[in-house]
Amino acid sequence: MTIATPLTISVVIPVLNERENLPATIAALHSCRGISQIIVADGGSADGTLEWLQSEQAARHTSQPTLTVINAPRGKGPQVNAGASTAVGDVLLFLHADCLITQAAVDALQSALADPAVCGGGFYLRFAEPRPRSLRLVSWGINIRARARHSATGDQGIFLRRKIFHAIGGAPDWPL
């Protein structure tokens, strides 16, 4: 019986003026086993995001996972592609700056990709805020749509094998 070696995970976070959200996201990622690299692709922030990231980089320069900050052309596609081009992990996990990941999610990702036939996937959406109650309805609708269409939005956390991402030519050059 062979035991599968866990895949290495590079997290790519495209950002623009996310100083307020990044500390919680980065802290959550640092608390998860299995994350080997965090790449923040900045599209020209002017709110202190880069300064905070540089101080965080300096404070954690010897810890795992590594934190890499890159400048990228503004836009979701260009930032995602720039981050992915820097990634060295077996898996790319694309997160928004206001999304929090848990160890259970990382374990589920590893479990899903233990099957070599699985190229990638996404997580269900859940809002941390209990109010307004309509957020539960919004997340329910997004999760139903994701299941029915076999698709995900960036807020859900999308993951795929790095080789597959590059084989399909990366992300579209959308200016969102």
Side-chain angles (χ1 to χ4, degrees), residues 47-62:
D47 69 340
T49 295
L50 282 174
E51 294 80 5
W52 180 83
L53 285 165
Q54 289 164 348
S55 69
E56 184 70 5
Q57 249 181 329
R60 296 186 182 262
H61 75 279
T62 60

Side-chain angles (χ1 to χ4, degrees), residues 127-138:
F127 290 101
E129 300 85 8
R131 301 256 185 239
R133 285 185 162 182
S134 60
L135 289 177
R136 277 196 223 155
L137 182 60
V138 169

Side-chain angles (χ1 to χ4, degrees), residues 132-149:
R133 285 185 162 182
S134 60
L135 289 177
R136 277 196 223 155
L137 182 60
V138 169
S139 64
W140 177 82
I142 288 170
N143 293 334
I144 291 293
R145 183 190 66 205
R147 180 169 278 244
R149 292 189 172 178

Side-chain angles (χ1 to χ4, degrees), residues 4-9 33-36 90-91 103-115 123 159 161:
T5 304
L7 299 167
T8 56
I9 301 169
R33 293 178 321 281
I35 305 289
S36 59
D90 303 312
V91 177
Q103 186 62 54
V106 173
D107 293 344
L109 179 158
Q110 290 281 2
S111 178
L113 292 178
D115 180 348
F123 296 103
F159 61 90
R161 297 178 193 276

